[in-house]
Amino acid sequence: MVAVLKPSATSEQIENLTQWLKERGLTVHISKGEFYTILGLIGDTSQIDTELLESLEMVDKVKRISEPFKSANRKFHPDDSIIEIGDLRIGGPNFQMIAGPCSVESPEQILAVAQSVKSSGATILRGGAFKPRTSPYDFQGMRADGIELLLEVKKQTGMPIVTEIMNANHLPMFEQVDIIQVGARNMQNFELLKELGKTNKPVLLKRGLANTLQELLMSAEYIMAGGNHNVILCERGIRTFETYTRNTLDLSAVPLLQELSHLPIIVDPSHATGLARLVQPMALAAAAAGAHGIMIEVHNDPAHALCDGAQSLRPEQFAELSGKIKKIREAIAI
Amino acid sequence: MVAVLKPSATSEQIENLTQWLKERGLTVHISKGEFYTILGLIGDTSQIDTELLESLEMVDKVKRISEPFKSANRKFHPDDSIIEIGDLRIGGPNFQMIAGPCSVESPEQILAVAQSVKSSGATILRGGAFKPRTSPYDFQGMRADGIELLLEVKKQTGMPIVTEIMNANHLPMFEQVDIIQVGARNMQNFELLKELGKTNKPVLLKRGLANTLQELLMSAEYIMAGGNHNVILCERGIRTFETYTRNTLDLSAVPLLQELSHLPIIVDPSHATGLARLVQPMALAAAAAGAHGIMIEVHNDPAHALCDGAQSLRPEQFAELSGKIKKIREAIAI
Amino acid sequence: MVAVLKPSATSEQIENLTQWLKERGLTVHISKGEFYTILGLIGDTSQIDTELLESLEMVDKVKRISEPFKSANRKFHPDDSIIEIGDLRIGGPNFQMIAGPCSVESPEQILAVAQSVKSSGATILRGGAFKPRTSPYDFQGMRADGIELLLEVKKQTGMPIVTEIMNANHLPMFEQVDIIQVGARNMQNFELLKELGKTNKPVLLKRGLANTLQELLMSAEYIMAGGNHNVILCERGIRTFETYTRNTLDLSAVPLLQELSHLPIIVDPSHATGLARLVQPMALAAAAAGAHGIMIEVHNDPAHALCDGAQSLRPEQFAELSGKIKKIREAIAI
Amino acid sequence: MVAVLKPSATSEQIENLTQWLKERGLTVHISKGEFYTILGLIGDTSQIDTELLESLEMVDKVKRISEPFKSANRKFHPDDSIIEIGDLRIGGPNFQMIAGPCSVESPEQILAVAQSVKSSGATILRGGAFKPRTSPYDFQGMRADGIELLLEVKKQTGMPIVTEIMNANHLPMFEQVDIIQVGARNMQNFELLKELGKTNKPVLLKRGLANTLQELLMSAEYIMAGGNHNVILCERGIRTFETYTRNTLDLSAVPLLQELSHLPIIVDPSHATGLARLVQPMALAAAAAGAHGIMIEVHNDPAHALCDGAQSLRPEQFAELSGKIKKIREAIAI
């Protein structure tokens, strides 16, 4: 950590601050310039509150050199984390295909999609029971009933399931759910993250629409600080000025998160783009960039005129994608 | 609402869709072009799920003409909403100065700041008890104890108080709180909004870092749809590429929200800029733009070396600001 | 095009406007609602100035349905454009590897890099002679001398060259240059685009840091409107709030531009990320997304301590990338 | 400047780098940590190419402490710059009202608007002759003829004029123009900036849509480095995700630029918002924030049905605004 002091800082102030920092176990190196004095702080700075330091009259700015996350940091955990769900392994050399409908709608729908995607190589079933919607007048999901249907299909197909939680009070309903998803809008719902930290459930943590990679890792840190190290990161697009796509998928997040952290990283091209015809190219690109898996919306009912999902693939499109992904994985493995 | 159909749409598909829309009470006007067919939908479209419509194979895009919010919409409620807290009126021709420390730290601190800002014209006391922090290792607030201290000071000074909620389960603690704040990170915590909609407490709803004005109004709509119409909007800066300031204060939000909605709109220049020396010019600008109030961080303890608040004013600075605000209010009233 | 009129629009105003639009060859369909009247405009709307229309008192908003670009539009030119440079073909089923140093520095450097990348599969040589730099105190390139060196190497290696122009007055120097690059900062330097439109030189047009895909295509349209249809689009990252990378590479631009336009689209992962270690994963992702080529910075002199290029690959890294790209191309061709 | 070295940096590498930096006149302080070594560089670092340094294998990151601009920097020029045009003074305690039509359209129009705004307190006349338009099919301005008309009106009214340049070759036409405007899209057209630096004409430099304040000041530095210190900065909105307004006016730029630089700063609320009804509140806010002037589009011809300017005020609206601005100026002067 580097603290830049204003030219107006007095020797006494600098002395006091240096003393305070040393008491917190840091070594302090002072470089005095004409317009600024720079303090180089060496040691464990992750417990230092940057804002607190920056708020001091004498301080011009504070810049972190080392990352403020510890449990999620690859520096302290050089090997890839691998999260196990039964025989399934997420992270490291493994690649997982998560697929399923946007929302759980009926027993027939969720079973049909599950069977179809399983036969095309999907390893985990997704499906929304609780749906975060911008408008209170839009469909909010089947809620508890949706979870029930997912668990039923899990029994019938043997597929592990992932579904979103929106309220820590609902945790008991997620007892049998394999992976709990935290949606983009809840990435900084710290009260929810803390509760998830007390469980040992795998958590799929989606990046917020306007959150930096560091903030994503700090949210992972909230869960890990509670003792739950089963965190899977998910890139799903960020908000930019571009309007053709719903969000801008930031694929550089994949290699960057792998450099900064040991946690697995999954890409969701369906929500990022909002357009079914972009899902295949972006899913292939995610695999080529080295993601540990992709998460794809698939819908089974092209005849159902009024909900074929703007961003959902049809099962045969998913099967084609699945085949190409395999080839891409081979291409980058050389 | 306008639905643009692809050239590939068949007459039968168009007929079916038109039928479906008519059943929802809409009048449909069809304009056929060489490359597109445009459906003009007239009537109450707020209950139509745009994504659902857009997901149809035959639909190219859907554009809303009227706003998807109703209760918050000035069209259906032309007069300014005025929210009453005892004798205090928020909205309309009234202007409120909300001031107080970032965090409640001790009985002495919160009382001293309250007395100081009250004597300089503040009408509402702010103070954080539950603090949303990016890092799990940073100070999380005094929590329940902080609320207790605020209520104590409310009794001593007679000032109404506003403080942030982070978890609907904490609502019982907020029984005596005058205004419940929903922070920027929880603006789309829909489960929390729904619970607040069941109360009749005034809610200060902060705009999310990456949320549009329409999304802010849709979140207000979540609260209002539950029956609670006491919503106060708050602009506090959005995330952009600029790095000198923490966020970019979007003051055009003030006149725009007043045009779109009848709800009061408050500006928080402290969090937006993150720099105490920008608070005065931005607070004056907010008043000049027509805001119904401002929310300012004030700290009382310049001697307390390690927490004088990067974005907090000292009491004498607040007093100066308070005087200038009065003059600005007069200037724009001509 | 759809024009939404305010409720205050009088019948006479609507009549006048309708008349004016009909005189411009458009068919006008009117849908009258309670709060809005919608005009559906059918016909060639690309010559209609949206801002002009939107500026009318009675008009609430104007929304384009069809794209404002014509020459670049795939609707009017369904087949991929293929740009020929000698035997080389850019666009369609072809894939080009453009490689070379950030700046031309000396005869030895540019020749060495050219020979190295050519032997690893590069088909076009890049190298900056005129360098746009944020600071007037930074190195501005070898300018005319740099062009001379590039042309010399072109003779020696037979590789076509691409280099950036910053001033239309320099066009005579670019007589022998195969592809003229327009940098991100000049994407909307319309005076320069118009001059390039008068030549028949292939132009590599980079997307501006804050420009939408539609604006990129409108800038291509400036060149094409002058008669020069040899335009190659280039995605090189957009400016967002993320700070780990210099810019955010928007790979969804690849399939989207291919849908909207028939022009070839190249990806530059070096400038987008600013980090050499992200170049390979992002280049592979670009190929997987279906780009017509990539543009990579390669530097030859790891010993030269003070300029090994934060975003440049070493030749052996380029060779490895080159091999993997081939495999990716095969994987997506199935 | 602070350079953070990787843990892999060898003593020899550190020694070599330190030597190289010392040769450039800098003092180097070394702080060695477990994971990083920090070099504190003291002295004139404005000539150091950050990218060059960052590109070194051993360097993790480089952070500037002092600003890279010198001529524009308030540190080296503590007093406000005041730019004189005849008797008119821009900057310091002075406030200028720049007003006029978006485009020069006819002798009658430009004269009528000029006389009208002059009588309501405008001190400088604006009017576009060369118009940068996104589409090649939109009106490009009257060009040379427009300049002629402006000069004619300057003679008749005595008002100094400001108009935009798009091409350095046009400089001879601007001989009699009082202030040359560089538009947002040309803010980083470095070739144009360099040519303007060779003149002694006042330049109104608009901030680019996606440019930081530091980049704006670096572009001012390009002009000043050539010897022309008559630069006026202009905030006109930045590109964000918000869609109600054309751009987001960043008023915090006003106090920040005044802190960082001694140059005058003007605000253009018309282009920023794109909506006439937001011009007054944003202009008042700009004045309250301490701007040295505002730039407003005014149109004179409400009868001319097809071009009353979405973002233009009518003369009587400008007169009202002008009166309120005066009151605001008094309010903040206390």
Side-chain angles (χ1 to χ4, degrees):
Chain A
M1 191 178 276
V2 169
V4 183
L5 309 186
K6 291 185 188 152
S8 59
T10 64
S11 307
E12 201 196 324
Q13 282 180 311
I14 298 178
E15 179 53 39
N16 285 345
L17 178 59
T18 304
Q19 195 50 41
W20 185 84
L21 291 163
K22 283 182 178 166
E23 283 164 16
R24 266 133 204 90
L26 301 176
T27 309
V28 182
H29 292 258
I30 304 181
S31 318
K32 258 188 184 301
E34 188 181 356
F35 290 104
Y36 294 101
T37 295
I38 301 171
L39 302 190
L41 312 183
I42 303 295
D44 177 9
T45 58
S46 73
Q47 316 277 336
I48 298 283
D49 190 331
T50 311
E51 281 183 32
L52 185 79
L53 207 53
E54 217 156 24
S55 73
L56 293 175
E57 185 66 41
M58 79 187 100
V59 175
D60 189 71
K61 43 195 151 194
V62 175
K63 291 175 187 267
R64 280 200 175 278
I65 300 305
S66 54
E67 300 82 12
F69 44 95
K70 291 182 83 169
S71 303
N73 199 328
R74 191 179 279 277
K75 279 210 185 71
F76 311 114
H77 186 305
D79 295 331
D80 278 8
S81 273
I82 293 182
I83 289 163
E84 305 192 4
I85 297 167
D87 293 342
L88 204 90
R89 273 154 183 68
I90 302 175
N94 310 287
F95 191 87
Q96 302 302 336
M97 303 274 280
I98 307 173
C102 178
S103 302
V104 179
E105 290 168 19
S106 71
E108 298 74 28
Q109 172 243 21
I110 185 68
L111 181 61
V113 177
Q115 288 171 332
S116 151
V117 297
K118 189 183 178 186
S119 73
S120 306
T123 48
I124 300 171
L125 177 67
R126 56 146 291 152
F130 292 90
K131 303 292 303 171
R133 301 301 304 269
T134 306
S135 166
Y137 309 122
D138 288 347
F139 176 54
Q140 310 273 319
M142 291 184 71
R143 303 176 66 95
D145 292 345
I147 306 259
E148 283 312 308
L149 293 185
L150 282 168
L151 292 176
E152 191 54 43
V153 169
K154 176 185 170 180
K155 254 187 255 164
Q156 292 176 270
T157 62
M159 295 180 86
I161 58 174
V162 55
T163 192
E164 180 167 352
I165 195 167
M166 288 175 64
N167 186 331
N169 295 347
H170 297 162
L171 262 172
M173 289 186 216
F174 287 72
E175 197 77 32
Q176 304 302 320
V177 168
D178 301 281
I179 306 174
I180 300 180
Q181 178 177 315
V182 174
R185 289 180 184 79
N186 279 315
M187 194 201 90
Q188 293 195 319
N189 182 339
F190 301 123
E191 294 282 315
L192 176 60
L193 300 179
K194 282 181 189 172
E195 290 305 314
L196 291 168
K198 295 177 191 162
T199 75
N200 63 355
K201 278 275 174 219
V203 176
L204 183 88
L205 179 65
K206 289 197 155 188
R207 181 183 185 183
L209 269 80
N211 288 110
T212 61
L213 297 181
Q214 179 166 306
E215 287 169 341
L216 173 60
L217 289 169
M218 289 312 292
S219 285
E221 195 79 11
Y222 257 95
I223 300 169
M224 298 172 91
N228 181 357
H229 284 237
N230 297 311
V231 180
I232 304 159
L233 305 172
C234 180
E235 162 63 29
R236 45 79 70 221
I238 56 175
R239 188 161 268 189
T240 68
F241 58 81
E242 178 58 63
T243 51
Y244 269 118
T245 43
R246 189 190 298 164
N247 296 121
T248 298
L249 188 65
D250 176 12
L251 283 179
S252 60
V254 174
L256 267 172
L257 287 172
Q258 285 171 354
E259 180 181 313
L260 295 166
S261 176
H262 49 88
L263 297 172
I265 162 91
I266 299 286
V267 173
D268 174 349
S270 301
H271 282 84
T273 62
L275 296 166
R277 59 192 192 271
L278 295 185
V279 170
Q280 176 171 310
M282 289 303 98
L284 298 177
H292 293 110
I294 52 171
M295 191 165 180
I296 305 282
E297 277 190 21
V298 178
H299 207 286
N300 73 319
D301 188 4
H304 183 318
L306 287 174
C307 194
D308 61 348
Q311 65 202 16
S312 295
L313 297 191
R314 290 189 309 273
E316 65 273 22
Q317 291 173 317
F318 179 72
E320 183 194 325
L321 169 62
S322 201
K324 288 188 179 176
I325 290 273
K326 211 169 281 178
K327 294 280 180 193
I328 296 268
R329 294 279 302 161
E330 289 164 20
I332 63 169
I334 338 170
Chain B
M1 190 179 275
V2 169
V4 183
L5 308 186
K6 291 184 190 153
S8 59
T10 64
S11 307
E12 201 194 324
Q13 282 180 310
I14 297 177
E15 179 53 38
N16 286 344
L17 179 59
T18 304
Q19 196 49 43
W20 185 83
L21 291 164
K22 283 182 178 165
E23 283 163 16
R24 266 132 204 91
L26 301 176
T27 309
V28 183
H29 292 258
I30 305 180
S31 318
K32 256 189 183 305
E34 188 179 357
F35 290 105
Y36 294 102
T37 295
I38 302 172
L39 301 189
L41 312 183
I42 303 295
D44 176 9
T45 58
S46 73
Q47 316 277 336
I48 299 284
D49 190 330
T50 311
E51 282 184 31
L52 184 79
L53 206 54
E54 216 157 26
S55 73
L56 294 174
E57 186 65 43
M58 77 186 102
V59 175
D60 190 72
K61 45 195 151 194
V62 176
K63 289 176 188 265
R64 279 200 177 277
I65 300 304
S66 54
E67 300 83 10
F69 44 94
K70 291 181 83 170
S71 302
N73 199 327
R74 192 179 279 277
K75 278 211 186 69
F76 310 114
H77 186 307
D79 295 332
D80 278 9
S81 273
I82 292 183
I83 290 163
E84 306 190 4
I85 297 167
D87 293 342
L88 205 89
R89 274 155 182 66
I90 303 175
N94 309 289
F95 190 88
Q96 303 302 336
M97 303 274 281
I98 307 174
C102 178
S103 303
V104 179
E105 290 169 18
S106 71
E108 297 74 27
Q109 172 244 19
I110 185 68
L111 180 61
V113 177
Q115 289 171 330
S116 151
V117 297
K118 190 183 178 187
S119 72
S120 306
T123 48
I124 301 172
L125 177 67
R126 58 146 290 154
F130 292 90
K131 302 294 302 172
R133 300 302 303 269
T134 306
S135 166
Y137 309 123
D138 287 347
F139 176 54
Q140 310 275 318
M142 290 183 72
R143 302 176 68 92
D145 292 345
I147 306 260
E148 283 312 309
L149 294 185
L150 282 169
L151 292 176
E152 192 53 45
V153 170
K154 178 185 168 179
K155 253 186 256 166
Q156 293 176 270
T157 62
M159 295 180 87
I161 58 173
V162 55
T163 193
E164 180 167 353
I165 195 166
M166 288 175 65
N167 186 331
N169 295 346
H170 297 162
L171 262 172
M173 289 186 216
F174 286 73
E175 198 77 32
Q176 304 302 320
V177 169
D178 301 281
I179 306 174
I180 300 180
Q181 177 176 316
V182 174
R185 289 180 184 78
N186 278 316
M187 193 202 88
Q188 293 195 318
N189 182 340
F190 301 122
E191 294 281 316
L192 176 60
L193 300 180
K194 281 180 190 172
E195 290 305 314
L196 291 169
K198 295 177 192 161
T199 73
N200 62 356
K201 279 275 175 219
V203 176
L204 183 88
L205 179 66
K206 289 197 155 187
R207 181 182 184 182
L209 269 80
N211 288 110
T212 61
L213 298 181
Q214 180 166 305
E215 288 169 341
L216 173 59
L217 289 169
M218 290 312 292
S219 286
E221 195 78 12
Y222 257 97
I223 300 169
M224 297 171 91
N228 182 357
H229 283 237
N230 297 312
V231 180
I232 303 158
L233 306 171
C234 181
E235 161 64 29
R236 45 77 71 220
I238 56 174
R239 190 162 266 189
T240 68
F241 58 83
E242 178 58 64
T243 51
Y244 268 118
T245 43
R246 189 191 297 164
N247 295 121
T248 297
L249 187 65
D250 176 12
L251 284 180
S252 60
V254 175
L256 267 171
L257 287 171
Q258 284 172 354
E259 178 180 315
L260 295 166
S261 177
H262 49 88
L263 298 172
I265 162 91
I266 298 285
V267 173
D268 174 349
S270 301
H271 282 84
T273 62
L275 297 166
R277 59 192 191 272
L278 295 186
V279 169
Q280 176 170 311
M282 289 302 100
L284 297 177
H292 293 109
I294 52 171
M295 191 164 178
I296 306 282
E297 277 191 19
V298 177
H299 207 286
N300 73 320
D301 189 4
H304 183 317
L306 286 174
C307 193
D308 59 347
Q311 65 200 16
S312 296
L313 297 191
R314 291 190 308 274
E316 65 274 22
Q317 291 173 317
F318 178 73
E320 184 194 325
L321 169 62
S322 201
K324 288 188 179 177
I325 290 273
K326 212 169 281 179
K327 294 279 181 195
I328 295 269
R329 293 280 301 163
E330 289 164 19
I332 63 169
I334 340 168
Chain C
M1 190 179 276
V2 170
V4 182
L5 308 186
K6 291 183 190 155
S8 58
T10 64
S11 306
E12 201 195 323
Q13 281 180 312
I14 298 177
E15 179 53 38
N16 285 345
L17 178 60
T18 305
Q19 196 49 42
W20 184 83
L21 291 163
K22 282 182 179 166
E23 282 164 17
R24 266 134 202 90
L26 301 177
T27 309
V28 182
H29 292 258
I30 304 181
S31 319
K32 258 188 186 299
E34 188 181 356
F35 290 105
Y36 294 103
T37 296
I38 302 171
L39 302 189
L41 312 182
I42 303 295
D44 178 9
T45 57
S46 73
Q47 317 276 336
I48 299 283
D49 190 331
T50 311
E51 282 184 32
L52 184 78
L53 208 53
E54 216 155 26
S55 73
L56 293 175
E57 185 66 41
M58 77 186 103
V59 175
D60 189 72
K61 43 196 152 192
V62 176
K63 291 177 187 264
R64 279 199 177 279
I65 301 304
S66 55
E67 300 81 13
F69 44 95
K70 292 181 83 168
S71 303
N73 200 327
R74 191 179 280 275
K75 279 212 184 69
F76 311 114
H77 186 307
D79 295 331
D80 278 9
S81 272
I82 293 182
I83 290 164
E84 306 191 4
I85 296 166
D87 294 342
L88 204 90
R89 273 153 184 68
I90 303 175
N94 309 288
F95 190 88
Q96 303 302 335
M97 302 274 282
I98 307 174
C102 177
S103 302
V104 179
E105 289 169 19
S106 71
E108 298 74 27
Q109 171 244 21
I110 185 69
L111 180 61
V113 177
Q115 288 171 331
S116 151
V117 297
K118 190 184 177 184
S119 72
S120 307
T123 49
I124 301 172
L125 178 68
R126 57 146 291 154
F130 292 90
K131 302 293 301 172
R133 301 301 304 269
T134 306
S135 167
Y137 309 123
D138 288 346
F139 177 54
Q140 310 274 318
M142 291 184 70
R143 302 176 66 93
D145 293 345
I147 305 260
E148 283 312 307
L149 293 184
L150 282 169
L151 292 175
E152 192 54 43
V153 171
K154 176 185 170 179
K155 254 187 254 165
Q156 291 176 272
T157 63
M159 294 181 87
I161 58 174
V162 55
T163 193
E164 180 168 351
I165 195 166
M166 288 176 63
N167 186 330
N169 295 347
H170 297 161
L171 263 172
M173 289 185 215
F174 286 73
E175 197 76 33
Q176 304 302 318
V177 169
D178 300 281
I179 305 175
I180 300 180
Q181 177 176 315
V182 174
R185 288 179 185 79
N186 278 315
M187 193 201 90
Q188 293 195 318
N189 182 339
F190 301 122
E191 294 282 315
L192 176 60
L193 300 179
K194 282 180 190 173
E195 290 305 313
L196 291 168
K198 296 176 189 160
T199 75
N200 62 356
K201 279 278 175 218
V203 176
L204 182 88
L205 179 66
K206 290 197 156 188
R207 180 182 185 184
L209 269 80
N211 288 110
T212 61
L213 298 181
Q214 180 166 306
E215 287 169 341
L216 172 60
L217 290 168
M218 290 312 292
S219 285
E221 195 80 11
Y222 257 98
I223 301 169
M224 298 171 91
N228 181 358
H229 284 236
N230 298 310
V231 180
I232 303 158
L233 306 172
C234 181
E235 162 62 30
R236 44 79 70 220
I238 57 174
R239 188 160 270 188
T240 68
F241 58 82
E242 178 57 66
T243 51
Y244 268 118
T245 44
R246 188 190 299 162
N247 295 121
T248 298
L249 188 65
D250 176 12
L251 284 179
S252 60
V254 174
L256 267 172
L257 287 171
Q258 285 172 355
E259 179 181 314
L260 295 166
S261 177
H262 49 88
L263 297 172
I265 162 91
I266 299 284
V267 173
D268 174 349
S270 301
H271 282 84
T273 62
L275 297 166
R277 60 191 191 273
L278 295 185
V279 170
Q280 175 170 312
M282 289 301 99
L284 297 177
H292 294 109
I294 51 171
M295 191 165 181
I296 305 283
E297 278 191 19
V298 178
H299 207 285
N300 74 319
D301 189 3
H304 184 317
L306 286 174
C307 192
D308 61 347
Q311 65 202 17
S312 295
L313 297 191
R314 291 189 309 274
E316 65 275 20
Q317 291 174 315
F318 179 72
E320 183 195 324
L321 169 62
S322 202
K324 288 189 179 176
I325 289 273
K326 212 169 280 178
K327 294 280 181 193
I328 295 268
R329 293 280 301 161
E330 289 164 20
I332 63 168
I334 339 169
Chain D
M1 189 179 277
V2 170
V4 182
L5 308 186
K6 292 185 189 151
S8 59
T10 64
S11 306
E12 201 194 325
Q13 282 180 310
I14 297 177
E15 179 54 38
N16 285 345
L17 179 59
T18 304
Q19 196 49 44
W20 185 83
L21 290 163
K22 283 182 178 166
E23 283 164 18
R24 266 133 203 91
L26 300 177
T27 309
V28 183
H29 292 259
I30 305 180
S31 319
K32 256 188 185 302
E34 188 181 356
F35 290 105
Y36 294 102
T37 296
I38 302 172
L39 302 190
L41 312 182
I42 303 294
D44 177 9
T45 58
S46 73
Q47 317 277 335
I48 298 284
D49 190 331
T50 310
E51 282 183 31
L52 185 79
L53 207 55
E54 217 156 25
S55 73
L56 293 174
E57 187 65 41
M58 77 186 100
V59 175
D60 189 72
K61 45 195 152 195
V62 176
K63 290 176 188 267
R64 278 200 178 278
I65 302 302
S66 55
E67 301 82 13
F69 44 94
K70 291 182 83 168
S71 303
N73 199 328
R74 191 179 279 275
K75 278 212 186 69
F76 310 115
H77 187 306
D79 295 332
D80 277 7
S81 273
I82 293 182
I83 291 164
E84 306 191 4
I85 296 166
D87 293 341
L88 204 89
R89 272 154 183 68
I90 302 175
N94 309 288
F95 190 88
Q96 302 302 335
M97 303 273 282
I98 308 175
C102 177
S103 303
V104 179
E105 289 169 20
S106 71
E108 297 74 27
Q109 171 244 18
I110 185 69
L111 181 60
V113 177
Q115 289 172 329
S116 150
V117 297
K118 189 183 177 187
S119 72
S120 307
T123 48
I124 301 172
L125 177 68
R126 57 146 292 153
F130 292 90
K131 302 293 305 172
R133 300 301 304 268
T134 306
S135 166
Y137 309 123
D138 287 346
F139 176 54
Q140 311 273 318
M142 290 185 70
R143 302 176 66 92
D145 292 346
I147 306 260
E148 283 312 309
L149 294 185
L150 282 169
L151 293 175
E152 190 55 42
V153 170
K154 176 186 170 178
K155 253 186 255 163
Q156 292 175 269
T157 61
M159 293 180 88
I161 57 174
V162 54
T163 192
E164 180 167 352
I165 195 166
M166 288 175 64
N167 186 331
N169 295 347
H170 297 162
L171 262 172
M173 289 186 217
F174 286 72
E175 198 77 32
Q176 304 303 318
V177 168
D178 300 281
I179 306 174
I180 300 181
Q181 178 176 315
V182 173
R185 289 180 185 78
N186 278 316
M187 193 202 90
Q188 292 194 318
N189 182 339
F190 302 122
E191 294 282 314
L192 175 60
L193 301 179
K194 282 180 188 170
E195 291 305 314
L196 291 169
K198 295 177 191 160
T199 74
N200 63 356
K201 278 275 175 221
V203 175
L204 183 88
L205 179 65
K206 288 197 156 186
R207 181 182 184 182
L209 269 79
N211 288 110
T212 62
L213 297 181
Q214 181 165 305
E215 287 169 341
L216 173 60
L217 289 169
M218 290 311 292
S219 286
E221 195 80 12
Y222 257 97
I223 300 169
M224 297 172 92
N228 182 357
H229 284 237
N230 297 311
V231 180
I232 303 157
L233 306 171
C234 181
E235 161 64 29
R236 44 79 70 220
I238 56 175
R239 188 161 268 188
T240 69
F241 58 83
E242 179 57 64
T243 51
Y244 269 117
T245 43
R246 189 191 296 164
N247 295 121
T248 297
L249 188 65
D250 176 12
L251 284 180
S252 60
V254 175
L256 268 172
L257 287 171
Q258 285 172 354
E259 179 181 314
L260 295 166
S261 176
H262 49 87
L263 297 172
I265 162 89
I266 298 286
V267 173
D268 175 349
S270 301
H271 282 84
T273 62
L275 297 166
R277 61 190 189 272
L278 295 185
V279 170
Q280 176 171 312
M282 290 301 99
L284 297 178
H292 294 109
I294 52 171
M295 191 165 180
I296 305 281
E297 277 191 20
V298 178
H299 207 286
N300 73 319
D301 189 2
H304 183 318
L306 286 172
C307 192
D308 61 346
Q311 66 200 18
S312 296
L313 297 191
R314 291 189 309 275
E316 66 274 21
Q317 291 173 317
F318 178 72
E320 183 194 324
L321 169 62
S322 201
K324 288 188 179 175
I325 290 272
K326 212 168 281 178
K327 294 282 181 191
I328 295 269
R329 293 281 301 162
E330 289 163 19
I332 64 169
I334 339 168

